[in-house]
Amino acid sequence: MHTGHQFVDVSGATLDPDILSLVPESLCRRYHLIPLDRGRGKLTVGMVDPTNIIAIDDVTSITSLRVEVLVVAADALRQLFERYLRSDDELSDLSVALEESVTTQQELFTETIDDQDVDAPVVRFVNLLISQAVNDRASDIQIEPGEHQLTVRYRIDGVLHEMQRADRGIQDGVISRLKIMSQIDIAERRRPHDGRLSIHHDGRQIDVRVATLPTVWGEKIVMRILDNSGQAMSVADLRMSATNNERFRHAITRPHGMLLATGPTGSGKSTTLYTALREVANPRINVITVEDPVEYRMPGVNQVQVNQKAGLTFSSALRSILRSDPDVLLVGEIRDMETAVISIEAALTGHLVLSTLHTNDAPSALTRLTEIGAEPFLVATALSAVIGQRLARRLCTRCRAAYVESPEILESLRFPHDPADPPTIYKAVGCASCSNTGYRGRVAVHEIMTVTEEVEQLVVRRATGGEMRDLAIEQGMIPLREDGWSKVTQGLTTIEEVLRVSM
């Protein structure tokens, strides 16, 4: 649509905080606009929709300035929001206001339950904590009570960052507010609880999984942010090497068999399996999952939530699911012998089974299944492939710096290179776009082991994980660290990150 307004590229623009303060953050986010410049009774504003007369009128009435509109791109505006419209200062002010308003812990506790005013300090404080975490792309919010202070930390790209410290006096009000939002019993503080809440942020719904844990200084709360919009990935988005991509696609397009994703907590296993589900799911097949908990809702997929109190465990749910005519099964995690045996039998009876297992590398998954109690000959026949993966922080493309590492260091790291022509690699620097960390987002490094006839023979005779690993590498498996080195040469991550996440 042509409106006659001038377009301006604000990517990487430097803005004046005094000019930004003229328009409240809430107004900027609501109308998708940002103040750019001021002069002679005029305020220049960048807007995604320059025809929004109501927005222009509101800015005019607040600033008493004539508004000149320039058109900006939505993605560039979102970057400016992340860099400049942070809630840190307001959170600090609110924590001080809350501290001053608290006369007794009981008084704040009562106010939190009864006062549903969205402008109440404790309500505003909690809302800002969550919205700022979403803007910062945090995966977790940790609220930790201490002897004298309440500490708030965000996990961003797998690393914890301290964001706020507030007086301990506001602790009960903040925790009670979060428990009410998550439908958790606020009167019971002696045992752990789990809850869930949903929020609307920038036009999308975001689910938050809440867990409480009693500590000596009060209840610690950990909130896992489950942003559905960020999980709509394709196989190409996994950035697998050509060899790994071929092995992965071969495993998920088979009509039956089992694909396991292995790695520690937070290594992206669920994301990889959800991506596989999206690749194979279609109206002609019946896809059922059993998870604890169901993290991401997927249209067209039947998702079952484990409920230990009601007796719905992984194994009992699997037995019922197998009577529901499934084609594809996703088992959230194999934790015990019964779940392992039922999953393996399902893979052997014409179902495609996807699941996760906590092991350090891909070959160890085969020995772990036999150690759990599954028969080696069944494990060998059922498994199609095993993925081992880790998540390394992705370099910020705005500030990364190229350099040439010394051949001696590359040699000591066994980094593949030509001494006569050393590769150009990148290091983290830090800028406003990445909050001065040098990294923005994460990239997965993989190793994919295909279960061949030779591997099956090793499983049946209960060979060690080391023997299986040697054979898998001999048959073409790319180890985690080698896949990481290829990501380094592509400029996606750094040597330090690959060393941090791989063995």
Side-chain angles (χ1 to χ4, degrees):
M1 179 178 67
H2 182 70
T3 62
H5 293 84
Q6 181 183 348
F7 174 82
V8 60
D9 183 8
V10 293
S11 301
T14 302
L15 303 183
D16 186 341
D18 292 334
I19 295 175
L20 284 171
S21 64
L22 294 173
V23 182
E25 176 199 346
S26 58
L27 208 67
C28 291
R29 292 190 182 278
R30 186 191 314 159
Y31 294 131
H32 302 288
L33 59 84
I34 196 163
L36 299 175
D37 198 9
R38 178 185 180 179
R40 295 185 180 181
K42 178 182 70 173
L43 180 67
T44 303
V45 175
M47 296 180 65
V48 174
D49 179 10
T51 63
N52 191 335
I53 304 300
I54 296 175
I56 297 171
D57 287 345
D58 282 355
V59 173
T60 302
S61 63
I62 287 174
T63 62
S64 300
L65 296 170
R66 181 170 57 86
V67 175
E68 180 185 48
V69 177
L70 299 177
V71 181
V72 297
D75 56 346
L77 181 66
R78 188 162 50 249
Q79 290 173 7
L80 290 181
F81 281 178
E82 292 175 3
R83 289 167 57 190
Y84 291 104
L85 298 189
R86 296 185 56 81
S87 306
D88 299 357
D89 294 338
E90 188 174 355
L91 283 168
S92 299
D93 294 342
L94 278 170
S95 66
V96 172
L98 281 167
E99 177 188 344
E100 292 173 351
S101 68
V102 174
T103 54
T104 66
Q105 290 187 354
Q106 183 61 39
E107 188 175 315
L108 178 59
F109 181 72
T110 305
E111 176 193 355
T112 310
I113 299 173
D114 298 332
D115 190 355
Q116 299 299 318
D117 183 4
V118 294
D119 293 324
V122 70
V123 176
R124 180 71 177 149
F125 185 87
V126 169
N127 291 347
L128 281 174
L129 276 183
I130 299 174
S131 63
Q132 187 60 61
V134 175
N135 291 334
D136 285 349
R137 301 170 293 103
S139 60
D140 299 87
I141 307 170
Q142 301 199 7
I143 299 175
E144 303 171 336
E147 183 177 6
H148 303 293
Q149 290 181 311
L150 183 72
T151 304
V152 178
R153 298 195 291 172
Y154 293 167
R155 186 177 294 278
I156 304 171
D157 296 335
V159 178
L160 281 171
H161 301 268
E162 185 176 306
M163 308 305 292
Q164 287 290 326
R165 279 183 180 266
D167 188 87
R168 192 173 185 271
I170 75 170
Q171 172 182 315
D172 285 349
V174 171
I175 291 174
S176 297
R177 174 63 184 169
L178 283 167
K179 291 175 75 172
I180 291 168
M181 294 171 68
S182 310
Q183 299 182 336
I184 294 173
D185 182 4
I186 60 172
E188 178 57 78
R189 307 184 187 185
R190 297 167 299 177
R191 61 186 182 88
H193 295 276
D194 293 308
R196 196 179 186 111
L197 62 95
S198 293
I199 62 170
H200 289 277
H201 183 82
D202 283 348
R204 67 185 193 273
Q205 180 172 317
I206 294 170
D207 292 332
V208 182
R209 196 176 76 214
V210 181
T212 71
L213 181 70
T215 71
V216 291
W217 302 117
E219 288 178 285
K220 173 187 170 90
I221 289 189
V222 176
M223 294 184 282
R224 169 64 60 88
I225 298 172
L226 309 170
D227 187 353
N228 291 292
S229 64
Q231 295 300 315
M233 296 176 64
S234 65
V235 174
D237 294 326
L238 296 177
R239 301 302 293 261
M240 290 182 175
S241 66
T243 300
N244 286 341
N245 186 62
E246 182 182 346
R247 291 184 170 204
F248 180 71
R249 286 186 179 277
H250 180 262
I252 65 176
T253 52
R254 291 184 58 177
H256 56 81
M258 177 184 282
L259 172 67
L260 285 178
T262 69
T265 301
S267 59
K269 301 186 297 295
S270 296
T271 300
T272 299
L273 294 187
Y274 276 116
T275 303
L277 273 190
R278 285 190 176 87
E279 191 74 10
V280 301
N282 62 69
R284 298 185 301 277
I285 64 173
N286 182 17
V287 181
I288 305 179
T289 77
V290 52
E291 306 168 65
D292 183 23
V294 175
E295 294 193 356
Y296 304 105
R297 267 68 167 182
M298 289 184 65
V301 174
N302 306 282
Q303 295 175 278
V304 178
Q305 167 79 54
V306 166
N307 187 337
Q308 300 284 350
K309 293 180 181 177
L312 185 63
T313 62
F314 274 113
S315 53
S316 62
L318 271 173
R319 288 194 207 94
S320 300
I321 288 170
L322 289 174
R323 294 193 293 270
S324 302
D325 187 32
D327 296 294
V328 179
L329 284 169
L330 187 149
V331 182
E333 183 183 346
I334 293 178
R335 298 176 179 172
D336 52 54
M337 182 180 74
E338 195 171 7
T339 305
V341 170
I342 297 173
S343 300
I344 288 169
E345 288 175 350
L348 290 170
T349 53
H351 306 88
L352 175 62
V353 180
L354 312 175
S355 189
T356 69
L357 196 64
H358 287 285
T359 62
N360 289 328
D361 60 4
S364 299
L366 296 134
T367 56
R368 176 65 55 83
L369 286 174
T370 57
E371 289 165 358
I372 285 176
E375 291 292 342
F377 66 92
L378 294 178
V379 172
T381 310
L383 269 177
S384 303
V386 184
I387 305 172
Q389 72 176 61
R390 301 289 190 278
L391 291 178
R393 288 185 290 174
R394 185 190 292 261
L395 274 167
C396 173
T397 54
R398 290 180 177 272
C399 64
R400 65 180 184 178
Y403 74 105
V404 177
E405 189 60 88
S406 67
E408 293 77 17
I409 291 180
L410 295 179
E411 189 66 37
S412 67
L413 295 173
R414 297 182 181 177
F415 191 105
H417 67 287
D418 179 0
D421 184 22
T424 299
I425 54 183
Y426 293 86
K427 61 182 176 182
V429 177
C431 65
S433 179
C434 60
S435 303
N436 291 314
T437 62
Y439 300 95
R440 185 178 174 84
R442 290 188 286 179
V443 62
V445 293
H446 308 89
E447 61 180 17
I448 301 184
M449 174 184 180
T450 301
V451 180
T452 61
E453 190 174 329
E454 292 79 13
V455 172
E456 288 182 18
Q457 292 171 3
L458 288 184
V459 177
V460 170
R461 67 177 179 85
R462 296 181 182 270
T464 65
E467 291 178 273
M468 293 187 196
R469 184 171 187 82
D470 292 340
L471 177 60
I473 292 173
E474 184 183 319
Q475 294 184 339
M477 183 184 82
I478 302 170
L480 275 173
R481 184 162 290 184
E482 285 190 23
D483 189 54
W485 294 150
S486 72
K487 300 290 196 302
V488 171
T489 57
Q490 294 171 45
L492 296 174
T493 188
T494 61
I495 288 177
E496 293 78 13
E497 276 297 291
V498 172
L499 292 174
R500 180 178 71 86
V501 303
S502 65
M503 298 179 295

